[in-house]
Amino acid sequence: KSWGFGTSFPWLIMTMIIIAICMIEELSMKDKYGEEYDEYRKKTPFLFPLPKWMKAILKAPMKLITKEKFPQNRKQVAGITLVYTFIFMIISLIWLDIGSKTLHETLHIENPQMVIDSINTEIQQTFERRELYKHFNALGQLGVVATPQLIAYLTNTDPVLREFAANQLGHIKSRSAIDPLILALSDENWRVRNSVANALADIGDKKAIGPIMELIRKTSPDKRSQYYSLLGTLGATDAWPFLLEGLVNQNWYAKTSALKSLTWIDAEKAKPFIYKALEDSQYQVRSQAVFLLLEMKPEDAIIPLQQVLDDDDFETRFYAKEALKLIELENK
C-alpha cells in the first residue's frame, strides 16, 4: 500500500539527515586515522552490503559532485545530501503518487466490483475505528459505483459502519441514496443520525424537508438538534414554525441549532429571535446569539449587545464587545 508522497517526505528527510551525519562522522574518522581508515572503508559497506553494480549506480551522482569515491569535506557532504534528497523526492513522487494512483484508477475503471469486494473483506476483518474510516473512505473514492454497497451498510447492526456509510454517501452526493438516508434519520444512535443529517445536507435535495419535519413531530425534543440544523442547511422556509418551536426546547443545543437555522433561512426575519436569545437563561444560547450578530453586524444590534456587556459568561461579554466594535466600524 502506498503512503503517498506527502506522508513519505518527512521520513525521507529524516533518513537523509542520518546519512549526512554518518558521512560527517566518516570525515572525522578519516582525519583521525588517515590512510588506515581509507583502506578500511574500501573493504567495508557504508551502511549495508550491496552488489557492485548497485553500488556503481548509487554512487554515480556522488562521483559527479566530488570526483572521488568519498566526500572530502563538509561542503561536499551538504551537496551530496541535497542532490540525493532531490533525486529520491522525484522517484517518490513518480512511483508513489503518480504510479500508484494510475494503478488504483485502472482497477476502479476495469473492475470496480473486485475493489469493492476487497474493501468489504477488509471492513469485515477490522474492528478499530480509525482503520474502518480508511476503508470506508476508499469506498467513497470509488464514487457512484459504491453507492449500493454503502446503502446496504446503513442497516448494518454495527453503528460505526452505519455512521461511516452515511458520511461517504454524503461525499458521493448520489441522489439514489436520499430515500435510504431519510429512513436512517430515525436511527437510535446519535452519531449515525448526525452523519445522516450531514449527508443529506451535502446532497442538498429539498425532497428531504417533508420527511424531516415529520420526524420532528415523532422525535423526542432531546433528539431534534440535527434535524433543526439540516432544515436550515436546506433552506427550508416551510420549516419556520418547527424552528420556532425549537427555540423553547429545554436543551441548549437544540435551541442554538434552531436559532442558527432561522438565521440561515432568513437573517433579517430572524433578528428579533436572536435579540431575545441574548436574554436566555442558558449561557450557551446567549453566546450563540452573540456569534450570529458578530457575523451579521446589523446596526440595530448595538443596544441589545450593550445589554450583555456585563454577562456572567466571559465569551458572551468578550464577543459582544468585538461585535460592537465591528458594527461601529462598518457604520462610520
Side-chain angles (χ1 to χ4, degrees):
K1 293 182 181 179
S2 166
W3 286 357
F5 178 69
T7 307
S8 60
F9 180 69
W11 292 101
L12 171 61
I13 295 299
M14 188 183 301
T15 302
M16 295 311 299
I17 289 172
I18 293 170
I19 292 173
I21 291 170
C22 291
M23 286 192 287
I24 292 171
E25 182 64 24
E26 283 222 316
L27 291 177
S28 300
M29 297 293 285
K30 173 70 167 59
D31 291 340
K32 187 174 181 179
Y33 296 104
E35 292 183 4
E36 184 182 350
Y37 186 72
D38 268 342
E39 290 300 318
Y40 167 77
R41 64 179 173 176
K42 284 178 184 177
K43 300 174 184 177
T44 307
F46 176 54
L47 291 175
F48 47 85
L50 291 171
K52 287 184 178 180
W53 63 269
M54 191 176 292
K55 283 183 183 178
I57 294 172
L58 288 174
K59 286 187 174 182
M62 182 177 70
K63 287 183 177 180
L64 289 174
I65 298 170
T66 65
K67 310 300 181 185
E68 301 282 348
K69 290 185 177 180
F70 306 103
Q72 304 301 307
N73 51 56
R74 289 173 178 261
K75 186 176 181 181
Q76 288 185 353
V77 169
I80 290 167
T81 304
L82 288 172
V83 168
Y84 276 90
T85 300
F86 179 75
I87 290 170
F88 289 130
M89 283 172 62
I90 296 299
I91 293 171
S92 178
L93 180 63
I94 293 171
W95 176 255
L96 292 179
D97 283 349
I98 299 173
S100 296
K101 185 178 179 182
T102 302
L103 176 61
H104 199 51
E105 288 177 348
T106 301
L107 281 172
H108 289 182
I109 294 168
E110 293 183 356
N111 200 338
Q113 189 56 51
M114 184 174 72
V115 180
I116 291 171
D117 292 342
S118 174
I119 295 171
N120 281 334
T121 300
E122 294 284 349
I123 290 172
Q124 300 307 317
Q125 297 173 353
T126 303
F127 301 97
E128 187 182 347
R129 184 180 176 89
R130 183 182 299 179
E131 292 302 312
L132 282 170
Y133 174 81
K134 292 178 182 178
H135 297 324
F136 273 93
N137 190 53
L139 274 179
Q141 289 177 359
L142 289 168
V144 177
V145 69
T147 299
Q149 181 61 64
L150 290 167
I151 289 173
Y153 274 119
L154 288 177
T155 56
N156 194 278
T157 55
D158 188 339
V160 176
L161 305 191
R162 301 199 301 272
E163 175 190 347
F164 289 160
N167 287 339
Q168 294 307 319
L169 286 169
H171 173 73
I172 293 171
K173 295 182 173 61
S174 173
R175 297 193 177 279
S176 62
I178 293 173
D179 288 335
L181 284 168
I182 289 171
L183 289 174
L185 271 173
S186 56
D187 196 281
E188 61 183 15
N189 184 281
W190 72 268
R191 285 182 180 271
V192 178
R193 294 196 305 273
N194 194 46
S195 294
V196 169
N198 289 337
L200 286 167
D202 288 338
I203 296 171
D205 196 311
K206 292 185 182 295
K207 178 182 178 181
I209 292 173
I212 293 166
M213 291 192 292
E214 187 61 33
L215 271 171
I216 290 176
R217 293 191 184 97
K218 297 177 180 178
T219 306
S220 60
D222 62 316
K223 295 181 179 179
R224 294 177 182 175
S225 177
Q226 294 99 335
Y227 306 149
Y228 293 146
S229 294
L230 181 52
L231 289 171
T233 304
L234 294 173
T237 53
D238 294 343
W240 198 266
F242 290 90
L243 295 172
L244 291 181
E245 287 178 9
L247 295 180
V248 295
N249 197 297
Q250 296 301 310
N251 298 291
W252 66 264
Y253 45 86
K255 285 184 185 178
T256 56
S257 294
L259 191 63
K260 284 188 288 186
S261 290
L262 287 171
T263 308
W264 294 337
I265 293 171
D266 190 333
E268 189 64 28
K269 188 178 175 182
K271 280 198 299 186
F273 303 102
I274 299 174
Y275 296 152
K276 186 176 180 180
L278 291 171
E279 303 171 0
D280 197 273
S281 60
Q282 295 171 302
Y283 75 89
Q284 298 96 332
V285 180
R286 301 196 302 272
S287 181
Q288 183 60 66
V290 170
F291 288 144
L292 291 171
L293 293 173
L294 185 61
E295 293 175 0
M296 295 163 60
K297 297 180 279 293
E299 188 175 3
D300 56 5
I302 292 175
I303 294 176
L305 283 168
Q306 287 174 337
Q307 294 173 355
V308 293
L309 290 177
D310 58 352
D311 195 275
D312 293 337
D313 177 58
F314 170 77
E315 281 194 353
T316 302
R317 296 195 308 269
F318 177 81
Y319 287 107
K321 290 177 184 177
E322 294 303 308
L324 285 168
K325 290 176 186 176
L326 291 175
I327 292 171
E328 288 172 3
L329 283 173
E330 287 210 354
N331 292 283
K332 276 188 176 180

